[in-house]
Amino acid sequence: MSLGFSVDTLLPKARGGGQLRMGLVKLTEDQWLQPEPDLASRKQGFADWPEGIALTRYAEKPGQELAAMLGTDGGLPEAALAAHEDMCLLQRFADEDYYRLIGAAVAWPSDWHPKDKLGLPLRALHAPIAGYEEQLASGVDRFMETLRPGPIYARCNWFIAATGERRWIADRPPQEAFAHVTPENAGETLFVRSERQTLRRLPETGAILFTIGIYVEPLGALSADNIAMLGRAVQTLVSGEGDRRGAPAYADSLVEFASRRIEP
């Protein structure tokens, strides 16, 4: 199964609210990364936000291995410049039973700063996500431990943002950021952001590569089915998760916009 490379093709495979789940699909090598990436945009993205690169010394060899896999010289930053996807490296150390973030090259973050996450174990990385510890943490840990070199797995998610920019760092409270949104203009003022995430183990160093492909579209540009799904899903986010995503500030407008789209 291929996840596709657009918001409209990703959303049908994403979680539509409710309990958290990994929702992994297996990809072939040619489905791994976006073909023909806009490398000029990648270069500009890192130039505009140099703090998107954060590395520990442990990222050097895995980064070099990854760069070689992508046919470029250098390490993790150069690998991320050669693809559409942002890239993170995770490693488990001999005296620990969990994986840590050892390097990140992120031009288009979904409201996070790599320097704040560098060196943290997986559970701490996901700490702001309501329900992660109870519903998903153990399953993720098992998956990471049993992942072998070769197979590529992927999943996708979605967020609602008040900006169509691929780099999204929330700098205002949701009530302020979405204050201009109404049912009448939600199609143009709400932006659906989807992350196409992949996981694979590097064969030589054993580090795990986590890639994040960012796709953003105005709500009104999506298919009718996807708009309807979002209208339903935003009402069923697990307790706390909706608050973290700012849903109370835009949910009524999104739901009303979606309901108008499906009325006969």
Side-chain angles (χ1 to χ4, degrees), residues 141-197:
D141 289 345
R142 285 194 299 271
F143 171 81
M144 299 287 279
E145 187 58 34
T146 58
L147 181 62
R148 297 292 177 256
I152 306 168
Y153 292 91
R155 66 182 301 273
C156 54
N157 60 18
W158 59 269
F159 305 88
I160 303 296
T163 176
E165 297 295 322
R166 281 182 288 198
R167 182 184 306 107
W168 173 39
I169 299 293
D171 57 358
R172 295 176 291 167
Q175 292 76 11
E176 182 180 337
F178 294 105
H180 61 298
V181 179
T182 68
E184 290 72 29
N185 68 20
E188 295 76 44
T189 57
L190 291 180
F191 295 87
V192 183
R193 180 183 184 89
S194 189
E195 294 179 333
R196 184 186 189 272
Q197 305 171 349

Side-chain angles (χ1 to χ4, degrees), residues 62-76:
Q64 291 172 347
E65 180 183 6
L66 172 60
M69 286 174 61
L70 297 182
T72 190
D73 295 325
L76 180 59

